[in-house]
Amino acid sequence: MTRRITIHDVAQAAGVSVATVSKAINGRDGVAPSTMSHVMRVVDELGYESSLVATSMRRQRTGVIGVLVAEFEPFALQLLQGVSTALQGTEYDVLAYAGSISAGDHRGWERRSLSRLGGTLIDGAIVVTPTSTPPAASVPIVAIDPHEGPEWPSTVSVINTDGARAATEHLISLGHTRIGHLRGRTDLISARQREEGYRSALAAAGLPFDAALVADGGYRTADSTAGAHALLALADPPTAVFAANDLSALEMMRVAGERGLRVPDDLSVIGFDDIPEAASHVPQLSTVRQPLTEMGAAAVRVLLSMLAGGGREDVRMPAELRARRSTAAPSR
Amino acid sequence: MTRRITIHDVAQAAGVSVATVSKAINGRDGVAPSTMSHVMRVVDELGYESSLVATSMRRQRTGVIGVLVAEFEPFALQLLQGVSTALQGTEYDVLAYAGSISAGDHRGWERRSLSRLGGTLIDGAIVVTPTSTPPAASVPIVAIDPHEGPEWPSTVSVINTDGARAATEHLISLGHTRIGHLRGRTDLISARQREEGYRSALAAAGLPFDAALVADGGYRTADSTAGAHALLALADPPTAVFAANDLSALEMMRVAGERGLRVPDDLSVIGFDDIPEAASHVPQLSTVRQPLTEMGAAAVRVLLSMLAGGGREDVRMPAELRARRSTAAPSR
DNA sequence: CTGAAAGCGCTAACAT
DNA sequence: ATGTTAGCGCTTTCAG
């Protein structure tokens, strides 16, 4: 645990002032070529790198884009990959921050992260699935799949209703008539849209809506267990379930297995998102693909445009059915 | 783009000094209960959050663990997920930084990131597959799968030799006797260990080692094309190939297909890593699984121990064979 | 119990 | 061309 090498150490070793070192490093003019090269040699010898923190306190610009997430789960990670790839070759580094982990309450994590990092440290932010309305921010922001409407400066999201309808129609076309829905967090707009897509597909097919067939999954594995059990414990259980996201779909399948049901023979399950685990699970999970990588790239495009002075934008990406092995015709 | 709310704004609005606000926020004693509650009310009203940057300049401790990667690719993302999960419920937030994106050269990205963030901003770092020797650092560091030996303070890595031996033995047990190896970057220790595992499995089975059956793949798709062609163009080509990682295995299969060979009928291929793409490829790629999530969790455990004053550790995780569809008995 | 002042590492005026 | 100074937002002695 040696002490950090500071600009001060470099100045001292080079026999010049701190200001001169700063100018040399940042290529400002007003430094003699000989001094310049001497300073740079000392910098190399000492292995000096400026502290991001100190630099960002003084500068307005840091060259870092922040990706703010509640938690590093598969959905956010795929997005992060897209963001990172899209930022290759630009002058920006990526910094991803999961801010709600230590904070007691998940609510408002985005506001907290944004004000802790914004204005300093990051030049702009991409916020993944924020659940509250945006705070007054000091940097340009793009929200991906915001959960509370369009009040965010710029947004990138998938057309949830269409995707959910496609998933439900897929089950209907296989011959299912008792179709359950393991829904997402009902306080989130995406969950409401997905339920709406589910209902409209049922209605379009002339199937009745049965409130007993809708259980809560909360988009999370742990929160889905009870709902999955509840659906399967019904006197007249569903033969197919549309889960609001892949994590709850995977949990749905696990619970089905635990109860002695085979997927897809006894129960068809379809999810939403298409996280990597969906394709590698056995059986492979049928789902509705969100083009996460492309969404990350779109967010970057919009953010860079805002950084360059451009206005707000709302990007809507299509969701696409990915029928795989977890859905089949009902056996009864 | 409104201005950030600073501690100054809070002090002014509350009619107290900046120092008092700081004490109130951080629960230091020496603040009257009434002042305390008044200040906290103003903090809430204004939505103030302290700047991570400013705080970390003054404090030694920030409550943030840094995960430093060259780039957000699948391997690093899986690790990140493990780290993040393991950090749930602790007092630490996670900050992941990809530092080589804007930097021209990839070499030494870990040194750069470490000195830009260490000492300030992060209390400890988990560095993913660093390629150089460790710099003198100002915070505890754990290296995951370091590529240049054990000079890092603490390390977490997979037992490459055993994994490679298991992969080769799998091919031998299927009846193959002419087994090729598409090796990794020979400047990296993991690649050398994997080749060693391959050789020792051959030796243990009494099979001769043939240098012509070893080609370079460099761990990357683009670098594997030539080696894959070379192996298949031999007068007496291999009936099975152990590729040093999944990316080169996938390329091996692509090249085989291009040359009119079917996998696994005409050629068996096995990889290493078990990235998500391995399981979703058709045919599913047999491989050796690195327990990435568990490795991330192990890194957290070691780092937290070091942060609490514990000594260095080297954790070695077992790699596990995942036989899937790309390997079968030889047809000739 | 409260506030004034110093300083973390750095950059940007402003002297010299 | 170089150095001096001020200050970014915050925490921490140290006086009052």
Side-chain angles (χ1 to χ4, degrees):
Chain A
M1 269 4 66
T2 58
R3 199 175 54 79
R4 255 193 121 263
I5 292 170
T6 72
I7 196 173
H8 225 93
D9 302 322
V10 176
Q12 187 155 31
V16 295
S17 77
V18 168
T20 301
V21 175
S22 175
K23 284 175 200 154
I25 289 168
N26 297 294
R28 299 278 179 283
D29 43 35
V31 183
S34 61
T35 312
M36 176 76 162
S37 60
H38 175 224
V39 168
M40 293 314 275
R41 191 162 340 112
V42 174
V43 164
D44 275 354
E45 274 166 20
L46 264 42
Y48 168 77
E49 290 285 347
S50 68
S51 157
L52 216 208
V53 166
T55 305
S56 53
M57 282 216 52
R58 278 303 278 158
R59 275 225 189 103
Q60 73 297 353
R61 220 183 141 289
T62 60
V64 179
I65 296 292
V67 177
L68 276 29
V69 306
E71 180 183 352
F72 289 110
E73 28 69 44
F75 183 90
L77 292 174
Q78 280 296 111
L79 244 14
L80 180 54
Q81 186 171 2
V83 169
S84 175
T85 304
L87 243 15
Q88 302 254 23
T90 70
E91 54 192 332
Y92 290 100
D93 279 347
V94 185
L95 150 13
Y97 188 75
S100 80
I101 291 183
S102 67
D105 63 322
H106 273 223
R107 298 191 57 69
W109 60 268
E110 58 278 322
R111 202 182 56 73
R112 177 167 174 271
S113 294
L114 233 21
S115 44
R116 276 174 67 86
L117 305 186
T120 46
L121 238 213
I122 57 178
D123 292 346
I126 293 173
V127 186
V128 179
T129 58
T131 55
S132 63
T133 51
S138 47
V139 293
I141 302 177
V142 176
I144 293 185
D145 199 12
H147 281 335
E148 286 299 339
E151 307 92 352
W152 287 82
S154 282
T155 63
V156 172
S157 50
V158 85
I159 306 176
N160 286 297
T161 321
D162 290 358
R165 191 181 303 121
T168 312
E169 281 166 355
H170 169 64
L171 297 174
I172 293 171
S173 74
L174 287 170
H176 293 275
T177 52
R178 255 191 103 58
I179 300 173
H181 177 43
L182 191 56
R183 73 176 157 204
R185 280 181 49 185
T186 46
D187 55 326
L188 306 186
I189 206 169
S190 64
R192 294 197 296 269
Q193 290 172 338
R194 289 175 199 183
E195 181 175 352
E196 188 187 317
Y198 158 78
R199 288 190 188 221
S200 79
L202 290 184
L207 293 173
F209 169 75
D210 180 351
L213 288 177
V214 176
D216 283 318
Y219 279 150
R220 306 190 60 202
T221 303
D223 300 344
S224 299
T225 316
H229 275 294
L231 287 177
L232 299 179
L234 288 175
D236 185 10
T239 60
V241 172
F242 162 46
N245 73 345
D246 286 349
L247 284 179
S248 44
L250 293 171
E251 179 63 5
M252 184 78 228
M253 290 200 282
R254 196 194 62 73
V255 167
E258 193 178 303
R259 300 177 68 100
L261 264 38
R262 288 163 308 159
V263 174
D265 312 72
D266 303 319
L267 180 73
S268 285
V269 177
I270 188 167
F272 201 110
D273 282 354
D274 198 18
I275 58 179
E277 287 76 0
S280 60
H281 187 269
V282 179
Q284 295 195 318
L285 178 66
S286 294
T287 189
V288 175
R289 175 170 189 268
Q290 293 209 51
L292 298 178
T293 309
E294 294 85 340
M295 288 167 74
V300 166
R301 193 184 51 69
V302 174
L303 187 60
L304 291 182
S305 144
M306 290 173 81
L307 248 11
R312 53 157 294 147
E313 276 180 64
D314 289 294
V315 180
R316 311 276 287 156
M317 317 275 295
E320 194 181 312
L321 180 68
R322 279 277 192 283
R324 291 200 271 244
R325 299 308 176 84
S326 65
T327 46
S331 58
R332 43 183 171 118
Chain B
M1 272 358 67
T2 58
R3 199 176 53 81
R4 256 193 120 263
I5 291 169
T6 72
I7 196 172
H8 225 91
D9 301 321
V10 176
Q12 188 154 32
V16 295
S17 77
V18 169
T20 302
V21 175
S22 174
K23 284 173 199 155
I25 289 168
N26 296 294
R28 298 278 178 281
D29 42 36
V31 183
S34 61
T35 314
M36 176 77 164
S37 60
H38 175 223
V39 168
M40 294 314 277
R41 192 164 337 114
V42 174
V43 164
D44 275 355
E45 273 165 22
L46 264 43
Y48 169 76
E49 291 285 347
S50 67
S51 156
L52 217 208
V53 166
T55 304
S56 53
M57 282 217 49
R58 278 301 279 161
R59 275 225 188 106
Q60 73 298 352
R61 223 184 137 288
T62 59
V64 179
I65 296 292
V67 177
L68 275 30
V69 306
E71 179 184 351
F72 290 110
E73 31 68 42
F75 184 90
L77 292 174
Q78 281 295 111
L79 245 14
L80 180 55
Q81 184 171 3
V83 168
S84 174
T85 304
L87 243 15
Q88 301 256 24
T90 70
E91 54 192 331
Y92 290 100
D93 279 348
V94 186
L95 153 6
Y97 189 75
S100 80
I101 292 182
S102 68
D105 63 323
H106 273 221
R107 299 192 55 69
W109 61 268
E110 58 278 320
R111 201 181 59 71
R112 177 168 174 271
S113 294
L114 232 21
S115 42
R116 276 174 68 86
L117 305 186
T120 45
L121 237 213
I122 58 178
D123 291 346
I126 293 173
V127 186
V128 179
T129 57
T131 54
S132 64
T133 51
S138 48
V139 293
I141 303 177
V142 176
I144 293 184
D145 199 12
H147 279 334
E148 285 299 338
E151 306 93 352
W152 286 83
S154 282
T155 62
V156 171
S157 49
V158 86
I159 307 177
N160 287 297
T161 321
D162 290 358
R165 192 181 303 121
T168 313
E169 281 167 355
H170 169 65
L171 296 174
I172 294 171
S173 74
L174 287 170
H176 293 276
T177 53
R178 257 191 102 57
I179 301 174
H181 177 43
L182 192 54
R183 74 178 157 202
R185 277 180 51 186
T186 47
D187 56 326
L188 305 186
I189 204 169
S190 62
R192 294 196 297 267
Q193 291 172 338
R194 289 175 198 181
E195 181 174 352
E196 189 188 317
Y198 158 78
R199 288 191 188 218
S200 80
L202 290 184
L207 293 174
F209 169 76
D210 181 351
L213 288 178
V214 176
D216 284 317
Y219 279 150
R220 307 189 59 200
T221 302
D223 300 345
S224 299
T225 315
H229 275 294
L231 287 177
L232 298 179
L234 288 175
D236 185 9
T239 60
V241 172
F242 163 47
N245 73 345
D246 285 350
L247 286 179
S248 44
L250 292 171
E251 179 62 6
M252 183 78 228
M253 291 200 282
R254 196 193 62 72
V255 167
E258 193 178 301
R259 299 178 69 101
L261 264 39
R262 288 162 309 157
V263 174
D265 312 73
D266 303 320
L267 180 74
S268 284
V269 177
I270 187 167
F272 201 110
D273 282 352
D274 199 17
I275 58 176
E277 287 77 1
S280 57
H281 188 268
V282 179
Q284 295 196 318
L285 178 67
S286 295
T287 189
V288 176
R289 176 171 187 266
Q290 294 209 50
L292 299 179
T293 309
E294 294 86 340
M295 289 167 74
V300 166
R301 195 183 52 67
V302 173
L303 188 59
L304 291 182
S305 145
M306 291 173 80
L307 248 11
R312 52 156 295 146
E313 275 181 64
D314 288 295
V315 178
R316 311 278 286 154
M317 314 278 295
E320 194 180 312
L321 180 67
R322 279 277 192 282
R324 290 199 273 244
R325 299 309 175 84
S326 66
T327 47
S331 56
R332 44 181 171 117

